[in-house]
Amino acid sequence: MGFQEPELERSPAVSDEVRRTTCYMCACRCGINVHLKSGRVSYIEGNRDHPVNRGVLCAKGASGIMQVTAPSRLRAPLKRVGPRGSGAFEEISWDEALEIAVSWLKPLRETAPERLAFFAGRDQSQSFTSYWAQGFGTPNYAAHGGFCSVNMAAAGIYTMGGAFWEFGQPDWERARLFILFGVAEDHDSNPIKMGIGRLKARGARVIGINPVRTGYNGVADDWYGITPGTDGLLILALVHELLKAGKVDLDYLARWTNAPCLVGEDGLLLRDADGRLIVIDRATGKPAPFDAPGVRPDLGASWQGSRTVFQHLAERYLADEYAPAAVAGRTGISASRIKGLAAEIAAAFEAPVVLDQPWTDFRGERHERMVGRPVAFHAMRGISAHSNGFQTARALHLLQILIGAVETPGGFRFKPPYPKPVEAHPTPHCVCAPGQPLGGPHLGFPRGPEDLALKPDGSPARIDKAFSWENPLSVHGLMHMVIPNAHAGDPYRIDTLLLYMANMAWNSSMNTAAVMEMLTDTDEAGDYRIPRIIYSDAYASEMVAYADLVLPDTTYLERHDCISLLDRPISEAEAAADAIRWPVVAPDREVRGFQSVLVELANRLQLPGFVDEEGRPRYRDYADYMVNHERRPGIGPLMGWRGDGSRTGRGAPNPAQLDRYVENGGFCLAHIPAEAQFFKPWNRAYQDWAVALGLYDAPQPYLFALWSEPMQRFRRAAEGHGERQPPAHLRERLKRAMDPLPIWYPPFGEAAGEGYPLHALTQRPMAMYHSWGSQNAWLRQIHGDNPLYLPAGLWRELGFAEGDWARVTSPTGEIVVPVAPMAALNERTVWTWNAIGKRKGAWALDPAAPEATKGFLLNHLIHELLPGREDGLRWANADPVTGQAAWFDLRVRIEKVPPQDQARPAFPPLASPVPPAPRNRP
């Protein structure tokens, strides 16, 4: 009998059950299939039916399995029993933990609610956490956007009613030129990777503008290695060239923007008796409301001494100071390359994208076609994390609007619930009273000085000084300033700091060493200057050691989450979409989802909105809130399967709603009609669809604001007009920063960094997003440490060789780190991967792990304040408009040092509340 080949099982089953939910390993919110075997997670793959990723999954998403088994997971509530920062805790029951929290919070609510400061990190339930804080009555609430992306978001909404990333996306199917400004590969990574793939498959051209050529910039067809902080200057040089060549879309500007509106002597736009913006009608030569049927606005009109916005902007940007030759030296981009880039953009006018799709605009005019430019832009933190980032982002929006490439085929497209005019957003609320809820949302969009969060004496009403004269349009708050201000008692003392997923003792703070000292500092009586700290996280991060009470969160596969149209949904340009997470596995520890813990605290504290008139809880937990809460009648956190299960958007709560989401893969999708998919701010069909879905209660067409009246109102205040006046020392700064047309000014770090010739940047790698990524056993194999990358010329100039280390010095700090050369890098820039470095003892990593020995943070070199000036003042290291942390203004100098045994500074190891993992190398 001959040899017989054994039968092999070539495709063994990896699971006996598959549950579909939403990933949380970055901000893409991709759909995932979680495979379970014997009730435990065995494999994670992409959901092919999901609108975000269509089955694509990155290394982060596939590695989510390691988050559910991570040794660093917290096991139970913890009460501090040693000095703060020692990591000495005892495990307690949930009943005791909640009793402690209520005993601290209840007296504050009854006497001084502002003494609670509640700030959340990369939480994706901000409409809920802000609602909780509003019910508590504290004005001190915000999330991480103030140190991440507020310049991008605020500039987009003030200019055009939305911004990049979660607010919109390129027209991947029709763009023929795609230009990225300052985009690293951690944000929105799967959609961008898929989109670039589609662009390249069609032969479209991709251009990356970034000091560092990695990731998306690495696969771009061309790369502009710009000098950090000069993107706005490059953009305005492109505007200069396009205006000179006449390559701007005059019809688009006249119809859909405030370019034809008239600027009065006070710098505000002229209005009629009903408050409507007026334009000069080309047919009659007389003033008419901008939205009157049949009006044809004249871009070049003058009336009673007033000129149009378009004339003002043309005069400004045609000036010689914006010519390519004038900006080449600062930007590091030659004049010929700037002109070449402008020519590539201008070529779009020779090849418009035309769709044979009729539509009707808000004036009632019927259009037989949809016409656009095949140029799409995308930008992110690289241009926004500078002290000139707000105006730089506005300049980029100006550029894409001038060529008619926003909400047109081939260009940038909004994603529901955007677009929204500024007027559709709330203004900030800050007036608090004992035992009472706040009068409205904490965060909003000021229209002028009257909307600032100030006390009657003019001092800031918020602990982070958001919405004050120091940073009037801080629409995301200033999380990075909470601890320094609370420590200093400026503008007042707080009692309790409540943090969620905010690693403020490490990679989410500037001036890290000082912040750790602030968290442990005591007053003359020996009491902590920040008396109480409550922290919630799923893992033993660096911040856990500095808490007095730890409320352990679940991992993302063990809880309910709501990715809502009220917050940060997963919409696409052609559809509204929201999603949920649900417990695909049960926790094996004494942990609870933080949102459900907040519901329990709200019930015990009797917070309005969470209890009825008789004090009975409205919601059992967060899942119950997701189903039964109504922000407005018929409008809740989730749009799908409302009422009897047949309604989308508007409808009564449906007890079976979560079951329907689970059955559908964790998401709901509502397609936009074909007639409504472009020109959304002005498209009557889109406005009606948005009202029917519940995004708006009434149609709200508006004009893009090339000239920003809110900014002009603040500038007028700085010039001495109006009842609310800024302090004298801020007047000149406000006059300059609050220009109603986009401007560029040198980053503040230039003056502060004299004698520090190099720019220093960080970016997150594609394999990391949250700081928890570098405790993930699989992802650590991709990035176990993070050398400081030096441009090849500097490497040779300073005589570096492989394995060398360097001392890196900034105006406020010093680190010693390993270095490596890089060719595709701006010649005066150094950089490293962010959040790889970990403090010894944290995250249950072995003390000898490379993340804790070779890994480091540039945060140690960055101060929340700029160095002192001759006038004795220390300005915030932030954008003066929004307060966004100017992480990327950092300037340094470098010198070679002998090889080291570990990176410096080397902080003492933390005592971990969880046992370390077995010693091994990734």
Side-chain angles (χ1 to χ4, degrees):
M1 188 173 181
F3 175 77
Q4 185 173 355
E5 185 77 22
E7 287 292 327
L8 299 177
E9 188 177 5
R10 293 179 174 83
S11 298
V14 298
S15 60
D16 45 44
E17 184 181 2
V18 177
R19 295 182 173 182
R20 297 180 295 172
T21 187
T22 305
C23 188
Y24 192 21
M25 294 300 287
C26 79
C28 293
R29 287 78 54 85
C30 295
I32 53 175
N33 298 334
V34 182
H35 291 254
L36 304 179
K37 200 156 192 175
S38 302
R40 302 184 66 180
V41 179
S42 58
Y43 177 58
I44 299 175
E45 65 177 346
N47 178 356
R48 293 177 181 271
D49 298 323
H50 199 274
V52 170
N53 58 317
R54 305 185 189 281
V56 173
L57 200 62
C58 67
K60 298 186 297 292
S63 299
I65 183 175
M66 306 308 290
Q67 297 301 126
V68 188
T69 60
S72 62
R73 291 172 303 153
L74 298 172
R75 306 288 199 258
L78 300 170
K79 181 173 70 173
R80 180 175 58 81
V81 293
R84 193 182 284 170
S86 66
F89 292 98
E90 68 175 9
E91 292 189 356
I92 58 176
S93 70
W94 271 105
D95 280 342
E96 183 179 355
L98 293 170
E99 287 171 5
I100 292 171
V102 170
S103 72
W104 293 351
L105 297 176
K106 193 171 189 292
L108 297 182
R109 182 167 188 271
E110 293 172 347
T111 60
E114 73 277 7
R115 297 191 68 196
L116 169 67
F118 176 23
F119 286 76
R122 282 189 172 80
D123 165 35
Q124 293 178 4
S125 59
Q126 290 168 25
S127 68
F128 168 75
T129 50
S130 65
Y131 186 72
W132 188 94
Q134 186 177 328
F136 189 91
T138 178
N140 295 314
Y141 166 85
H144 85 287
F147 62 73
C148 175
S149 60
V150 65
N151 276 338
M152 188 60 62
I157 288 173
Y158 275 104
T159 306
M160 59 184 191
F164 298 115
W165 188 31
E166 290 171 337
F167 302 93
Q169 66 186 53
D171 187 348
W172 298 115
E173 307 307 322
R174 301 173 186 88
R176 292 192 283 271
L177 178 63
F178 180 43
I179 304 177
L180 301 98
F181 278 86
V183 180
E185 48 264 39
D186 63 321
H187 278 90
D188 210 16
S189 59
N190 281 341
I192 291 181
K193 287 183 290 189
M194 295 160 61
I196 290 176
R198 294 202 294 274
L199 290 173
K200 286 184 167 288
R202 292 190 293 102
R205 186 163 160 78
V206 178
I207 294 175
I209 300 173
N210 197 310
V212 184
R213 189 168 196 181
T214 60
Y216 310 132
N217 301 283
V219 300
D221 299 291
D222 202 354
W223 171 64
Y224 289 71
I226 194 166
T227 300
T230 66
D231 303 79
L233 195 55
L234 170 64
I235 292 165
L236 294 178
L238 296 173
V239 168
H240 173 95
E241 287 295 289
L242 292 168
L243 286 169
K244 272 182 59 177
K247 296 299 185 180
V248 295
D249 193 328
L250 299 178
D251 183 66
Y252 181 97
L253 292 170
R255 288 178 183 270
W256 318 128
T257 79
N258 69 6
C261 295
L262 298 161
V263 181
E265 289 185 6
D266 58 2
L268 300 176
L269 303 182
L270 301 187
R271 286 174 163 76
D272 64 13
D274 295 324
R276 293 186 297 179
L277 291 169
I278 61 173
V279 297
I280 302 301
D281 189 354
R282 289 205 311 264
T284 65
K286 296 180 179 180
F290 81 96
D291 56 353
V295 71
R296 291 291 185 273
D298 186 350
L299 287 172
S302 297
W303 184 67
Q304 296 185 352
S306 294
R307 296 186 300 157
T308 63
V309 168
F310 184 75
Q311 292 177 78
H312 283 273
L313 74 85
E315 180 180 51
R316 171 172 292 186
Y317 303 125
L318 284 170
D320 290 343
E321 66 183 286
Y322 295 111
V327 308
R330 274 194 178 272
T331 63
I333 309 296
S334 69
S336 62
R337 294 202 76 203
I338 296 173
K339 290 181 177 182
L341 181 56
E344 288 200 63
I345 296 171
F349 283 82
E350 310 306 322
V353 179
V354 180
L355 304 182
D356 291 323
Q357 172 62 60
W359 66 287
T360 302
D361 69 27
F362 67 93
R363 296 186 179 99
E365 182 174 345
R366 186 70 171 169
H367 305 261
E368 295 306 315
R369 302 182 304 169
M370 292 179 167
V371 181
R373 310 274 171 241
V375 182
F377 296 89
H378 187 69
M380 205 47 217
R381 192 186 297 116
I383 70 169
S384 72
H386 292 283
S387 50
N388 59 17
F390 176 85
Q391 288 284 17
T392 293
R394 283 205 76 219
L396 183 53
H397 298 317
L398 168 68
L399 171 60
Q400 58 179 349
I401 290 169
L402 283 176
I403 64 172
V406 178
E407 263 306 308
T408 56
F412 172 80
R413 309 175 67 186
F414 290 118
K415 301 192 293 189
Y418 295 90
K420 293 181 185 179
V422 167
E423 292 74 19
H425 293 270
T427 54
H429 291 75
C430 66
V431 178
C432 63
Q436 298 298 314
L438 211 62
H442 306 76
L443 305 178
F445 289 78
R447 318 318 187 223
E450 67 277 8
D451 296 325
L452 291 178
L454 301 176
K455 292 183 177 181
D457 64 2
S459 64
R462 292 174 51 106
I463 189 64
D464 59 356
K465 300 186 181 179
F467 307 111
S468 71
W469 290 109
E470 293 186 27
N471 25 250
L473 305 185
S474 42
V475 303
H476 286 170
L478 287 82
M479 188 172 189
H480 53 290
M481 295 305 300
V482 173
I483 291 171
N485 290 356
H487 174 263
D490 179 19
Y492 49 79
R493 295 281 177 197
I494 66 167
D495 177 273
T496 300
L497 177 61
L498 173 57
L499 294 175
Y500 175 49
M501 282 188 63
N503 197 10
M504 306 308 291
W506 198 246
N507 58 279
S508 291
S509 284
M510 299 189 284
N511 194 17
T512 313
V515 167
M516 288 187 280
E517 291 179 4
M518 294 174 193
L519 292 171
T520 57
D521 193 21
T522 56
D523 60 19
E524 296 79 6
D527 298 321
Y528 288 120
R529 292 188 179 275
I530 302 175
R532 299 181 177 95
I533 298 175
I534 304 173
Y535 185 53
S536 179
D537 203 328
Y539 306 100
S541 69
E542 286 86 355
M543 186 62 210
V544 166
Y546 293 89
D548 304 308
L549 178 65
V550 178
L551 305 176
D553 193 16
T554 59
T555 71
Y556 71 100
L557 296 179
E558 300 168 324
R559 67 163 177 259
H560 281 98
D561 271 335
C562 183
I563 300 106
S564 169
L565 285 167
L566 300 178
D567 200 343
R568 302 165 67 187
I570 58 166
S571 299
E572 297 292 307
E574 297 177 356
D578 61 10
I580 68 166
R581 295 186 189 91
W582 60 284
V584 297
V585 291
D588 58 359
R589 312 164 312 288
E590 287 298 318
V591 297
R592 298 181 184 179
F594 179 66
Q595 291 82 3
S596 288
V597 171
L598 283 184
V599 171
E600 176 65 21
L601 288 174
N603 294 339
R604 296 188 183 207
L605 293 167
Q606 297 283 285
L607 297 190
F610 288 88
V611 296
D612 63 18
E613 295 76 8
E614 298 183 12
R616 293 172 301 197
R618 294 181 183 272
Y619 316 111
R620 295 184 306 274
D621 53 21
Y622 188 47
D624 196 21
Y625 171 94
M626 287 163 58
V627 171
N628 290 305
H629 176 69
E630 290 183 281
R631 194 56 57 96
R632 308 192 309 277
I635 305 296
L638 293 170
M639 71 173 182
W641 298 281
R642 301 193 66 81
D644 62 1
S646 65
R647 307 195 62 179
T648 302
R650 295 181 183 270
N654 171 17
Q657 187 181 41
L658 293 184
D659 293 336
R660 301 292 82 78
Y661 271 85
V662 171
E663 291 167 4
N664 198 56
F667 67 92
C668 179
L669 199 64
H671 287 282
I672 302 171
E675 182 182 0
Q677 289 185 6
F678 291 94
F679 298 92
K680 294 187 186 82
W682 322 291
N683 187 321
R684 183 171 290 179
Y686 177 80
Q687 295 288 318
D688 291 343
W689 176 85
V691 170
L693 192 69
L695 303 182
Y696 320 144
D697 286 333
Q700 47 185 3
Y702 62 97
L703 300 177
F704 286 167
L706 302 183
W707 183 279
S708 174
E709 284 193 290
M711 298 190 71
Q712 175 62 13
R713 293 188 186 105
F714 282 104
R715 189 166 70 167
R716 280 180 54 75
E719 293 169 345
H721 303 281
E723 294 183 5
R724 272 194 165 177
Q725 292 286 297
H729 71 280
L730 290 174
R731 288 186 185 274
E732 289 305 316
R733 185 169 102 147
L734 285 165
K735 287 180 194 177
R736 178 163 175 75
M738 304 302 285
D739 197 302
L741 284 175
I743 58 170
W744 182 85
Y745 50 86
F748 298 158
E750 285 199 13
E754 187 175 348
Y756 300 85
L758 300 172
H759 301 264
L761 306 176
T762 64
Q763 61 179 16
R764 286 190 184 270
M766 196 171 288
M768 304 286 180
Y769 179 68
H770 302 276
S771 58
W772 69 37
S774 52
Q775 58 118 16
N776 185 295
W778 288 356
L779 297 178
R780 292 179 66 213
Q781 297 178 65
I782 302 173
H783 294 281
D785 54 51
N786 57 312
L788 184 71
Y789 291 98
L790 276 55
L794 181 66
W795 179 268
R796 291 190 297 269
E797 176 187 330
L798 298 180
F800 281 105
E802 183 178 353
D804 277 347
W805 289 59
R807 177 179 291 108
V808 187
T809 308
S810 76
T812 57
E814 176 183 294
I815 59 177
V816 178
V817 298
V819 292
M822 182 174 179
L825 178 60
N826 176 276
E827 63 181 8
R828 304 310 296 172
T829 300
V830 299
W831 75 279
T832 191
W833 297 117
N834 186 30
I836 303 297
K838 294 286 181 255
R839 185 167 169 183
K840 290 182 178 181
W843 302 96
L845 292 175
D846 187 286
E851 292 87 350
T853 54
K854 292 185 176 181
F856 65 93
L857 300 177
L858 284 186
N859 306 48
H860 304 319
L861 299 178
I862 310 173
H863 204 286
E864 74 273 7
L865 301 175
L866 294 172
R869 308 188 321 171
E870 292 179 359
D871 59 10
L873 297 175
R874 291 194 69 181
W875 299 91
N877 183 19
D879 188 293
V881 179
T882 66
Q884 174 163 346
W887 298 94
F888 293 168
D889 282 2
L890 178 63
R891 301 293 290 269
V892 301
R893 62 172 180 260
I894 288 180
E895 58 183 308
K896 185 177 176 181
V897 298
Q900 310 286 305
D901 60 347
Q902 62 180 323
R904 303 285 195 281
F907 299 98
L910 293 171
S912 177
V914 295
R919 181 165 184 168
N920 56 36
R921 296 283 178 170

